[in-house]
């Protein structure tokens, strides 16, 4: 029975989905076949019920069309004020998304899901407003008609003959938690219409006359019912999945849809979408760019881009392939992606052509033995015109396909001019060699001209030069010369073959050139990506990453780019550092914030704020959102091709990952530093607790003894106790001084009070201060009489000498001599304090400068092991260096070098006194 | 002890006060305690003390202000008690006229030695003046302008002599760099501490046996110089 248990992964997925749904608001769609069936009415009824249950209900936007019974239902519901938008001298009243988000009711009514918002609104479409409401956790009731569903759009246009501009992506409908079908039989609807119960906006009246035909209504009703039934079916399947009802093997289907430049492409995509839905399959839409297809007109290329965009909106993955043989390329791709079915459009070529040259469909059917092939029929014509709607023209603008036209026209004219010139030159050369060579060789000269033109100016000019070549050859060289007449009819064959050869050569040359260009493009894309990732990988520091990212993006895509990052509170702010291009001044922080919060792109050409000047892309890394990349497109054509867009996406993710890497590294460093600080603190605590407790114990013991037993103690004993109290207290004072010095040096609180002075005086000061402890260590000072003045802080430098002398006393037996000497060495004054004790253990020469390092742990020597650390810090603060070694004769030598600079001048007096 | 000197201790820390009181009383001094600067100034005016020991870290007013207040009407010797973190205040107080200083923690021996020097110096200035200063082998005849070490005359330049003379005039007292520069070179040289250091160096080489370990011309590191009196 094990097989009957639900798959844990599937269950987990189910739970996760349920959780995401819980966080999101619930969407209920009142779904109808056409206007007037009572969707708004049904929605209001449901809303009133919710309110009666005590729910916080607000009417965000309700279109009553002044129907009395509907308006009555609206009474008593809280109405959200509409937002007035001025557009072309008219005031439009729009749903106020921000007010709704601010009011944040439990349930909001937003009618007409397919509505297009007025230009300048945050989102182009109302369904996007609804998405945002849902994201904010607000439940939404909305209404939509079947003709607005994206994938059914074309069918309905065909049925009713009326194009519908406003569409809602299927994904939005599918994401609804509940769909309530509001059904009204066509007869009743027509009756209501007759009775005047269905009021329509004036602009739609004329269309409505055609629309509300019984045939249309029946068809629409059927579509709406079928759509709802599909959904119920899907629910049923979900249910079966939940309850481990798995009687059929589930094979993951994957459709590969091949679109071409023809008008059927969009139809094909919609049909494929429906098929994919039905099969619950993934689907991929590909466009194979062959040499021939490269020559398409601008309109046709536009159409392809539109179709790919549409496919993406419908949930397909899209790809553009380039290759020489369409069918082979397609099959190869299908195999690498494990496609189970290929969807193709019906061949549009005339039958004879198909018979002569074959067709893609035939070729694929021949080659794809194990893959199912679906061939989709042609759509009616009127849709092609219908497609010139504002939405598409906008995406055309976005893709920047309008601007290049002039340039292309220019190049086109030049090409044809060169075709003529090349033929003239060929004729000239032939003229010169005519007397010495066969006619056949002259043909070669003309063919050469054709090749040159084909290589440089493409197909049109090369075809022209082929024809011109044949004509010139005939006119100038074929007898009778200087006439088109041909004396020998066999020349007709020559002409035909010459023309054919010229055409084939030109075709092949053009193809090769195109292949090279495609390869070149691809090469450049890969190279630019490689350059970016290589530089990013070699870079440390967020500033540098940003600089490199902005530079590469700007170079490759011809944009002005800026990376906008959030501050500590998650608000996007303008970058602080310099070196960012000025473009970020044009960026709108609120849009960037929206992009950052939602992880979706916005701005020009996107679905959100398409009217903006800039494009905003989210920088998303594995740990979450990093920031926003704002782009000002200088040449929109640069990011028009889908491949370039994909490259841009790759760039964006590379940048996001690089930023994330830097942040993680910084975080790791912080943790490391914290650990080290922690360790240091522990060492400090243990050192201090030992070094403080020992003298304290002696002091407390000795002083309490003095207090308690002072009568019984003799003078000698009292002296002993007093002496030990004094010595231990002095030791503690020394430790406290060192700790204080260390803390001040580390905190950077020490400001050197540097003055020009002889070293002798500092040495003298230190020796005087240490005199009580130097009784058993003879010190010899050897300072040359002519030592230059040094600019030092005398108090600090005295600490250095005091610490060095104290160490020498501490680590050598009594009676050991200590030497202080100094000498100038080039531009340094090198000072050495040496003793004749046991010296520094081998390998410890550097470690003795470390904090809390002591040569003999827990030894009799006091001190926290800070002395040399402080010395080195002081010397370094003076711009010097400090090191240690052992004398050849034994004994430790501590050296430090101070930089020598020109001392200030002094006026000397000559006269002596008296 | 009869004719005991009166010492005012201005210190807010009770433990230090207790230690000073016990020590000084056992040495035969009359001790008057003051907890605040104001109280100290009032005691100084009414008690006519021979010496004031003044802590720089008082709760009510700046120790330097107290020194200025006293110097306004009297030249009673003032010994300052300072902590290591009060370098700047210490020098300001010395510039304002304090005679000597002790850095906490200090020993009794050191304290008593300073007190003795200060009291002697005070009586020397106010008492008999033979015109000859001598300490150890060093003799300075202020009237004949003659300097000898162990009987041998030492030749000094005019500036060297002027420097020595200023030190002799305030023998035992700590003289700040600034004060010495002003007295010997004039107010325009106050910032040129290296002059003082160079001349002090040559003076030491002329007068001291081991200039690195001076016997007479003592260095108060970071503060100034003092001429030893015993």
């Amino acid at each position: 029975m094990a097989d009957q248990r639900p798959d844990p992964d599937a269950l987990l997925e189910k739970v996760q989905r349920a959780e995401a749904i819980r966080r999101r608001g619930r969407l209920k769609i009142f779904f109808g076949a056409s206007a007037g069936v009572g969707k708004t009415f049904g929605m209001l009824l449901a809303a009133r019920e919710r309110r009666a249950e005590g729910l916080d209900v607000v009417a965000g936007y309700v279109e009553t069309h002044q129907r009395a019974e509907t308006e009555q239902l609206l009474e008593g519901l809280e109405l959200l004020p509409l937002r007035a938008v001025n557009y072309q001298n008219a005031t439009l009243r729009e749903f106020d998304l921000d007010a709704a988000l601010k009011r944040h009711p439990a349930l909001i009514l937003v009618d007409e899901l397919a509505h297009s918002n007025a230009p300048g609104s945050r989102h182009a479409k109302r369904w996007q407003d609804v998405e945002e409401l849902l994201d904010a956790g607000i439940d939404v009731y909305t209404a939509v008609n079947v003709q607005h569903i994206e994938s059914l759009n074309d069918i309905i246009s065909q049925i009713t003959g009326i194009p519908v501009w406003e569409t809602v992506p299927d994904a939005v409908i599918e994401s609804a938690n509940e769909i309530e079908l509001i059904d009204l039989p066509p007869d009743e609807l027509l009756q209501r219409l007759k009775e005047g119960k269905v009021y329509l906006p004036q602009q739609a009246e004329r269309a409505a006359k055609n629309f509300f035909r019984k045939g249309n209504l029946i068809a629409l009703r059927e579509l709406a019912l079928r759509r709802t039934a599909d959904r119920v079916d899907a629910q049923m399947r979900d249910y079966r999945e939940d309850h481990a009802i798995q009687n059929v093997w589930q094979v993951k289907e994957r459709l590969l849809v091949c679109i071409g430049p023809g008008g059927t492409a969009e139809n094909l995509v919609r049909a494929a979408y429906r098929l994919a839905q039905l099969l619950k399959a993934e689907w991929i839409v590909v466009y194979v760019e062959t040499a021939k297809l490269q020559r398409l007109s601008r309109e046709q290329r536009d159409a392809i881009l539109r179709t790919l965009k549409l496919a993406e909106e419908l949930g397909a993955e899209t790809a553009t392939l380039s290759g020489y043989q369409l069918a082979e390329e397609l099959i190869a791709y299908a195999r690498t992606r494990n496609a189970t079915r290929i969807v193709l459009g019906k061949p549009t070529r005339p039958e004879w052509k198909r018979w002569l040259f074959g067709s893609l469909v035939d070729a694929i059917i021949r080659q794809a033995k194990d893959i199912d092939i679906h061939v989709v029929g042609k759509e009616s014509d009127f849709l092609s015109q219908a497609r010139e709607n504002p939405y598409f023209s906008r995406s055309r603008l976005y893709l920047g396909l309008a601007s290049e036209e002039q340039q292309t026209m220019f190049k086109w004219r030049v090409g044809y001019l060169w075709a003529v010139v090349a033929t003239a030159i060929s004729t000239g050369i032939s003229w010169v060699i005519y007397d010495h060579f066969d006619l056949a060789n002259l043909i070669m000269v003309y063919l050469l001209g054709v090749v040159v033109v084909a290589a440089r100016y493409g197909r049109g000019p090369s075809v022209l030069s082929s024809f011109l070549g044949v004509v010139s050859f005939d006119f100038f060289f074929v007898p009778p010369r200087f006439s088109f007449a041909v004396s020998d009819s066999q020349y007709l064959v020559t002409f035909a073959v010459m023309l054919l050869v010229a055409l084939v050569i030109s075709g092949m040359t053009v193809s090769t050139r195109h292949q090279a260009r495609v390869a070149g493009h691809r090469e450049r894309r890969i190279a630019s990506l490689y350059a970016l990732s290589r530089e990013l990988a070699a870079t440390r520091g967020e500033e540098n990453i940003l600089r490199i990212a902005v530079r590469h993006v700007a170079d490759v895509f011809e944009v002005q780019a800026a990376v906008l990052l959030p501050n500590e509170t998650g608000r996007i702010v303008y970058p602080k550092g310099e070196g960012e291009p000025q473009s970020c001044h044009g960026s709108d922080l609120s849009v960037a914030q929206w992009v950052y919060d939602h992880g979706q792109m916005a701005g020009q050409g996107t679905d959100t704020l398409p009217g903006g000047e800039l494009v905003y892309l989210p920088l998303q890394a594995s740990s979450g959102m990093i920031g926003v990349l704002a782009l000002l497109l200088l040449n929109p054509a640069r990011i028009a091709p889908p491949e370039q867009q994909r490259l841009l996406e790759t760039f964006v993710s590379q940048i996001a990952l690089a930023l994330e890497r830097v942040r993680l590294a910084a975080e790791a460093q912080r943790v490391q530093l914290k650990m080290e600080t922690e360790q240091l603190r522990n060492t400090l605590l243990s050192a201090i607790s030992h070094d403080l407790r020992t003298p304290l114990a002696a002091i407390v013991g000795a002083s309490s003894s003095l207090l308690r037993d002072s009568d019984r103690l003799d003078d000698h004993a009292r002296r002993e106790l007093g002496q030990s109290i004094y010595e231990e207290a002095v030791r503690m004072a020394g430790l406290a001084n060192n700790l204080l010095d260390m803390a001040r040096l580390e905190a950077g609180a020490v400001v050197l009070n540097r003055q020009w002075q002889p070293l002798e005086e500092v040495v003298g000061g230190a020796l005087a201060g240490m005199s009580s402890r130097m009784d058993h260590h003879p010190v010899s000072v050897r300072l040359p009489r002519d030592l230059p003045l040094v600019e030092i802080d005398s108090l600090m430098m005295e600490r250095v000498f005091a610490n060095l002398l104290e160490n020498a006393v501490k680590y050598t037996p009594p009676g050991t001599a200590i030497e202080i000497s100094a000498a100038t060495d080039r531009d340094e004054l090198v000072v050495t304090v040496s003793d004749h004790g046991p010296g520094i253990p081998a390998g410890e020469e550097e470690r003795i400068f470390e904090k809390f390092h002591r040569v003999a742990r827990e030894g009799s020597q006091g001190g926290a092991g800070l002395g040399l650390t402080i010395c080195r810090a002081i010397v370094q603060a003076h711009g010097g260096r400090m090191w240690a070694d052992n004398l050849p004769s034994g004994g430790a030598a501590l050296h430090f070098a101070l930089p020598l600079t020109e001392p200030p001048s002094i006026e000397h007096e000559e006269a002596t006194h008296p | 002890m009869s004719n005991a000197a009166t010492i005012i201790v201005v210190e807010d820390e009770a433990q230090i006060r207790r230690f000073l009181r016990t020590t000084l009383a056992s040495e035969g001094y009359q001790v008057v305690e003051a907890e605040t600067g104001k109280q100290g100034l009032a005691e100084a005016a009414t008690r006519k003390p021979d010496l004031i020991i003044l802590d720089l870290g008082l709760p009510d007013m700046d120790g330097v202000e107290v020194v200025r207040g006293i110097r306004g009407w009297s030249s009673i010797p003032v010994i300052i008690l300072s902590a290591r973190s009060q370098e700047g205040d210490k020098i300001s107080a010395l510039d304002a006229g304090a005679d000597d200083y002790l850095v906490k923690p200090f020993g009794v021996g050191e304290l008593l030695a300073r007190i003795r020097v200060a009291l002697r110096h005070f009586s020397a200035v106010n008492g008999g003046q033979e015109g000859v200063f001598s300490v150890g082998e060093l003799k300075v005849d202020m009237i004949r302008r003659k300097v000898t070490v162990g009987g041998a005359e030492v030749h000094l330049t005019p500036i060297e002599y002027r420097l020595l003379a200023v030190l002799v005039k305030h023998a035992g007292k700590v003289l700040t760099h600034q004060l010495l520069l002003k007295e010997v070179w004039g107010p325009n040289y106050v910032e040129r501490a290296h002059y003082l250091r160079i001349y002090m160096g040559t003076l030491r080489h002329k007068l001291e046996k081991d200039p690195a370990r001076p016997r007479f011309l003592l260095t108060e590191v970071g503060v100034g110089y003092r001429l030893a009196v015993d």
Side-chain angles (χ1 to χ4, degrees), chain A residues 305-484:
Chain A
L305 288 175
R306 280 199 314 255
T307 313
L308 286 174
K309 202 163 154 62
L310 171 76
E312 275 177 15
E313 274 172 20
L314 288 172
E317 184 189 332
T318 62
T320 306
L321 311 174
S322 53
Y324 187 68
Q325 285 293 333
L326 217 161
E328 277 166 19
E329 201 67 36
L330 202 58
I331 300 269
Y333 190 71
R335 287 202 201 286
T336 59
R337 299 301 307 268
N338 282 327
T340 51
R341 295 166 196 240
I342 294 176
V343 181
L344 297 163
K346 221 170 191 169
T348 48
R349 281 182 175 181
E351 199 61 28
W352 64 270
K353 250 185 158 178
R354 207 179 144 192
W355 177 80
L356 205 60
F357 301 107
S359 78
L360 176 67
V361 177
D362 299 328
I364 286 179
I365 289 172
R366 244 193 333 273
Q367 291 178 37
K369 296 192 174 63
D370 52 345
I371 302 176
D372 294 350
I373 313 288
H374 291 248
V375 180
V376 175
K378 192 172 177 284
E379 64 177 330
S380 68
D381 253 354
F382 102 105
L383 257 192
S384 332
Q385 334 149 7
R387 234 171 253 118
E388 277 304 318
N389 72 30
Y391 184 61
F392 282 131
S393 47
R394 194 168 52 229
S395 64
R396 230 187 87 131
L397 191 75
Y398 160 54
L399 297 169
L401 297 177
S403 62
E404 267 187 1
E405 239 146 70
Q406 274 187 322
Q407 201 194 340
T408 316
M409 277 300 286
F410 176 71
K411 204 173 173 189
W412 183 83
R413 284 198 198 122
V414 167
Y416 285 100
L417 194 68
W418 273 107
V420 176
V421 172
T423 313
I425 291 172
S426 301
T427 308
I429 294 171
S430 302
W431 190 274
V432 174
I433 62 173
Y434 176 70
D435 294 333
H436 315 289
F437 291 95
D438 267 0
L439 277 182
N441 289 323
L442 303 189
I443 294 175
M444 293 303 146
V445 174
Y446 278 105
L447 288 181
L448 187 66
V450 171
V451 169
V452 170
V453 172
R456 297 215 48 186
Y457 301 104
R459 188 175 187 85
S462 68
V463 169
L464 177 67
S465 77
S466 304
F467 278 102
L468 284 179
V470 172
V471 170
S472 313
F473 178 65
D474 176 18
F475 187 78
F476 290 109
F477 304 110
V478 174
R481 293 183 69 184
F482 308 112
S483 119
F484 289 110

Side-chain angles (χ1 to χ4, degrees), chain B residues 54 56 62-72 78 80 93 96-98:
Chain B
L54 172 67
L56 277 184
D62 196 345
V64 181
E65 289 303 314
V66 181
V67 175
R68 287 207 187 103
I70 293 167
R71 283 286 170 270
V78 177
I80 292 161

